[in-house]
Amino acid sequence: AEIKSEVSQKDTKPKLVGFLANDDIYAEKYAQSSSKHLAEAGLAFELRQVPRESLEDEIRQANTDDNVSGILVYYPVYGDDRDQKLQDLVDPTKDVEGLNVVYNGKLYNNDRFLDGEKTRKAILPCTPLAVVKVLDHIGVYNHTLPYGDHLRGKTIAVVNRSEVVGRPLAALLANDGAKVYSIDINDIQIYERDQKASINSHTATKTDFKPEDVIPLCDVVITGVPTAAYKMPTRLLKPGVVAVNFASVRNFEPEVKDVASIYVPSVGKSM
């Protein structure tokens, strides 16, 4: 309602362009959902389905188009380092996802502002931020602790280390004071901020741990594995755990409800 009210006072309606350059069914559903929610907010939205070989040129054209206020790309496009190149190609002033290298650098260095006067906040990637907002809403964040330490004392697992969601999410949680186990197919890394260090951002440390070593230690377990075959074993979860899933499919077994104090089956999607 607040966004819709603000948009209605503008002489011209902001226009967001979404680029869909893959055959991923979940990306297509996300695009459809985007269109609906943006229309409800009073924003103009145009979905452009393009061959991925043409996507770079399409982004460049949108960057210089004065009629385009914001750009959204539905990932994965290639599913490798080329996606990062596409993210960095989007003009930072039109990047509504916060995935450009400018915003990535701010996130990983725990710098929340674009200017020295701290008047312009850096954009955070939408799905990681949505998970943070969910955790705050359900009481995982402790606001009696100093700012920047609201997760101090919490141990959290993030199962997924994609550059779009998993890794930035782990960084955000670590920068807020948590000890984070970032779990991916290749290894498990610990993201943690050293309170005694002069640098205020987290460090990432590779380990030889396996999921069964760390999941039972976690107060919060967050999953984002984009395949229905993957299931987090309920037997590994400690009683009273907070379980959150941001994948497009259910990553937890049905029995999670018997163990978790709070279970969030989906973030940012209609069920």
Side-chain angles (χ1 to χ4, degrees):
E2 182 180 343
I3 296 174
K4 189 172 184 178
S5 175
E6 186 175 337
V7 169
S8 67
Q9 298 174 31
K10 294 184 177 294
D11 294 333
T12 57
K13 185 182 293 187
K15 178 180 179 180
L16 180 66
V17 171
F19 289 106
L20 182 62
N22 59 43
D23 297 324
D24 188 294
I25 185 173
Y26 298 110
E28 189 171 345
K29 287 182 178 180
Y30 182 31
Q32 294 169 354
S33 176
S34 300
S35 179
K36 174 186 175 184
H37 293 305
L38 289 166
E40 291 172 351
L43 297 165
F45 177 71
E46 179 184 337
L47 178 63
R48 299 179 183 177
Q49 294 185 265
V50 301
R52 64 183 186 179
E53 295 78 13
S54 306
L55 184 54
E56 288 189 33
D57 288 337
E58 293 285 345
I59 291 174
R60 288 192 181 95
Q61 290 177 26
N63 281 342
T64 58
D65 187 344
D66 292 338
N67 294 317
V68 176
S69 307
I71 296 171
L72 175 66
V73 179
Y74 296 97
Y75 296 100
V77 176
Y78 293 98
D80 55 30
D81 291 345
R82 287 173 289 182
D83 283 3
Q84 183 66 57
K85 181 181 178 182
L86 292 170
Q87 291 162 17
D88 295 341
L89 186 61
V90 176
D91 185 329
T93 64
K94 296 186 177 185
D95 177 14
V96 299
E97 299 177 280
L99 296 175
N100 183 276
V101 65
V102 172
Y103 299 121
N104 262 337
K106 293 290 182 180
L107 185 155
Y108 291 117
N109 288 303
N110 200 17
D111 182 356
R112 302 293 173 89
F113 296 90
L114 292 171
D115 59 338
E117 293 74 27
K118 297 185 177 181
T119 61
R120 297 172 57 217
K121 279 192 171 182
I123 296 174
L124 295 173
C126 52
T127 301
L129 181 59
V131 175
V132 167
K133 294 291 187 182
V134 167
L135 294 178
D136 191 20
H137 179 73
I138 62 181
V140 173
Y141 275 69
N142 183 355
H143 290 279
T144 65
L145 295 173
Y147 178 78
D149 274 334
H150 290 163
L151 290 177
R152 180 64 55 192
K154 297 292 185 183
T155 302
I156 301 176
V158 178
V159 187
N160 170 296
R161 201 182 303 135
S162 71
E163 292 296 329
V164 176
V165 184
R167 184 171 173 238
L169 173 59
L172 284 172
L173 299 174
N175 286 341
D176 281 337
K179 179 176 184 178
V180 181
Y181 291 106
S182 174
I183 302 174
D184 204 52
I185 190 169
N186 296 317
D187 63 19
I188 294 178
Q189 299 180 10
I190 298 176
Y191 284 34
E192 196 168 20
R193 204 180 81 230
D194 184 353
Q195 285 186 305
K196 298 178 182 178
S198 59
I199 299 175
N200 196 37
S201 58
H202 69 282
T203 58
T205 306
K206 291 185 178 182
T207 76
D208 294 324
F209 292 142
K210 299 186 185 311
E212 53 266 32
D213 298 324
V214 301
I215 294 297
L217 307 176
C218 293
D219 307 298
V220 181
V221 175
I222 304 168
T223 56
V225 182
T227 172
Y230 174 83
K231 298 296 178 188
M232 168 60 65
T234 306
R235 60 180 174 78
L236 296 181
L237 301 172
K238 77 176 186 179
V241 70
V242 172
V244 178
N245 175 60
F246 66 78
S248 51
V249 292
R250 300 288 180 93
N251 284 166
F252 288 96
E253 298 172 330
E255 294 78 15
V256 66
K257 297 177 182 178
D258 300 327
V259 178
S261 59
I262 298 176
Y263 170 46
V264 182
S266 177
V267 173
K269 295 175 280 292
S270 301
M271 296 306 295

